[in-house]
Amino acid sequence: MHELGLVSHVIKTVERICREQSLRQVCSVTLEIGEVSGVIPDYLTDCWYWSCKKTVYLRGAALRFETIPAVTLCENCGCQYPTVTYAKICPSCHSVRTHLLRGNELIIKEIEAE
Amino acid sequence: MDSVQIIEIKENVLADNGLEAQRIRRQLKEEKTFLLNLMSSPGSGKTTTLLRTIEHLKNDLRIGVMEADIDSAVDAEAIAATSVKSVQLHTGGMCHLDAGMTEQGLQALGTEDLDLAILENVGNLVCPAEFDTGAVQNAMILSVPEGHDKPLKYPLIFTVCDVLLINKIDVLPYFDFDMKKVVEYAHMRNPRLKIFPISAKTGEGLGAWCHWLWEQVDTWQTS
Ligand SMILES: Nc1nc2c(ncn2[C@@H]2O[C@H](COP(=O)(O)OP(=O)(O)O)[C@@H](O)[C@H]2O)c(=O)[nH]1
Ligand SMILES: [Mg+2]
Ligand SMILES: [Zn+2]
């Protein structure tokens, strides 16, 4: 999986914000992870501390997670349903013309910093 | 005294990668170089297709290759033997290339004098699909032995690709592979996906694919 790559993108973004806002030290970073994004929080945590050690702003910063539930829209009947339970086939009309509305995200929600 | 504050960010983790990819595309446009990102599972035929494509187009286009999917030294040697410019990218064990790594590769390759640069991405259908490399177009190879239901199992890569090569059609008689279904499933994920059935082994279908690619390069350079 690409957790190491994702962690390096999170760190780059947070470092940029620290410079822009003249922050000195980040205590925690909260990510919002879509339920079907394929990202595995444990793997992110594994590379997180190791990657943060090499930074100025993020040394020792905690990584927190919030989950965004996945929702699929049926283009045929217009209903919305939980992706994880029913996958690609609409539970009310059995159409396969469906697409993911949300649940694939990986967003930096907020940071705690001083 | 400093106090800890909560700062709302709400930024997509890959937003910076997206910006960098756009920067790469602008630069390529100025240089009139077309970058194709070639993705597939390991063994689908990226290197073989690349070699065939080079053979077809090398008299019409100045081509360069970035190899990120080196299973064996054989791949690198085969590309080097074609006499087109090539570089090997070191992914450091990463399962994909991002825009930053691609940019380093483009610099190492030197693109000012190239019409077409091709990136052979890491063999994997999941991770490379999530990272914009800065390519002008994304191509994917699906080979017959992998089965026609791949578009159902790996939807994302089908949505980010512009063109799908269905490779190894020479072995169609030996596999339970439904060409009509794969086209239907792929278009379900991405209605504007261009599809070429090919055999990198026999050369069947290569002409149509190479002509299409040549047209894309020409449009990029002249529009
Ligand atoms: N039968 C057949 N074999 C092919 C074809 N294209 C590639 N191969 C074989 O598939 C294997 C993997 O090909 P390669 O180009 O190295 O795949 P890559 O890992 O995606 O770069 C090699 O043994 C190739 O000879 C094809 O069109 N037909
Ligand atoms: Mg290869
Ligand atoms: Zn429905």
Side-chain angles (χ1 to χ4, degrees):
Chain A
M1 280 306 287
H2 48 270
E3 273 72 12
L4 186 56
L6 292 175
V7 161
S8 80
H9 283 285
V10 172
I11 290 176
K12 258 199 254 175
T13 304
V14 173
E15 284 179 324
R16 193 195 72 228
I17 288 159
C18 288
R19 284 192 299 272
E20 283 169 5
Q21 307 199 13
S22 310
L23 303 166
R24 289 194 304 114
Q25 185 64 49
V26 177
C27 319
S28 77
V29 174
T30 304
L31 301 180
E32 289 179 313
I33 298 183
E35 215 177 355
V36 296
S37 65
V39 174
I40 301 167
D42 278 358
Y43 291 178
L44 281 182
T45 308
D46 284 348
C47 8
W48 178 252
Y49 292 102
W50 178 78
S51 302
C52 285
K53 258 193 250 163
K54 297 180 291 184
T55 71
V56 178
Y57 299 108
L58 283 124
R59 203 167 303 167
L63 188 62
R64 303 207 177 102
F65 304 101
E66 289 174 15
T67 304
I68 303 176
V71 177
T72 295
L73 171 74
C74 172
E75 291 164 20
N76 188 47
C77 76
C79 78
Q80 298 184 10
Y81 63 88
T83 312
V84 173
T85 318
Y86 301 106
K88 288 173 208 82
I89 297 171
C90 173
S92 51
C93 76
H94 306 293
S95 170
V96 291
R97 283 186 36 233
T98 59
H99 71 257
L100 191 67
L101 275 187
R102 58 184 168 275
N104 200 22
E105 302 82 350
L106 181 55
I107 294 168
I108 304 174
K109 184 189 181 204
E110 62 192 22
I111 61 177
E112 266 181 297
E114 57 189 38
Chain B
M1 207 193 93
D2 285 335
S3 61
V4 174
Q5 46 177 321
I6 293 178
I7 299 154
E8 180 169 292
I9 302 195
K10 282 283 180 192
E11 196 173 307
N12 193 305
V13 168
L14 293 179
D16 70 326
N17 188 65
L19 291 176
E20 191 155 9
Q22 278 166 23
R23 213 165 44 236
I24 293 174
R25 268 188 293 276
R26 272 199 303 277
Q27 170 84 26
L28 289 169
K29 183 86 189 170
E30 266 170 42
E31 292 177 358
K32 294 186 187 294
T33 304
F34 184 96
L35 175 61
L36 181 77
N37 173 25
L38 186 57
M39 298 178 279
S40 84
S41 302
S44 302
K46 291 182 296 302
T47 305
T48 316
T49 303
L50 201 53
L51 293 170
R52 283 279 187 173
T53 304
I54 291 169
E55 236 173 74
H56 266 261
L57 293 173
K58 71 179 177 201
N59 294 328
D60 302 308
L61 300 172
R62 296 164 301 171
I63 303 173
V65 173
M66 294 184 283
E67 262 299 336
D69 188 37
I70 300 290
D71 300 322
S72 64
V74 181
D75 278 12
E77 278 170 28
I79 300 286
T82 62
S83 78
V84 303
K85 274 212 281 194
S86 63
V87 293
Q88 250 176 275
L89 299 187
H90 298 282
T91 53
M94 217 90 95
C95 50
H96 63 274
L97 289 171
D98 62 14
M101 292 186 262
T102 306
E103 185 161 36
Q104 285 174 17
L106 288 167
Q107 272 162 14
L109 189 63
T111 46
E112 329 70 62
D113 58 349
L114 290 183
D115 301 307
L116 170 63
I118 303 175
L119 168 63
E120 180 173 344
N121 212 315
V122 183
N124 178 331
L125 287 185
V126 180
C127 315
E130 298 196 18
F131 292 82
D132 189 342
T133 57
V136 180
Q137 296 209 1
N138 293 312
M140 168 188 174
I141 300 180
L142 168 65
S143 66
V144 167
E146 294 169 73
H148 54 249
D149 53 356
K150 273 257 157 108
L152 302 179
K153 293 186 188 149
Y154 299 91
L156 181 65
I157 190 154
F158 288 85
T159 63
V160 304
C161 277
D162 303 283
V163 58
L164 170 66
L165 301 176
I166 300 175
N167 189 31
K168 308 196 187 181
I169 56 170
D170 56 292
V171 300
L172 268 174
Y174 313 106
F175 286 88
D176 189 15
F177 184 94
D178 190 330
M179 190 62 86
K180 255 173 67 188
K181 278 225 175 82
V182 78
V183 170
E184 180 195 324
Y185 293 158
H187 280 151
M188 213 160 86
R189 293 294 154 220
N190 178 359
R192 33 161 220 95
L193 188 69
K194 191 85 190 140
I195 300 177
F196 295 99
I198 63 163
S199 166
K201 185 178 177 184
T202 66
E204 194 183 345
L206 259 292
W209 145 248
C210 289
H211 181 73
W212 178 86
L213 180 58
W214 178 84
E215 276 178 347
Q216 302 306 306
V217 176
D218 188 57
T219 306
W220 178 249
Q221 292 181 324
T222 54
S223 68

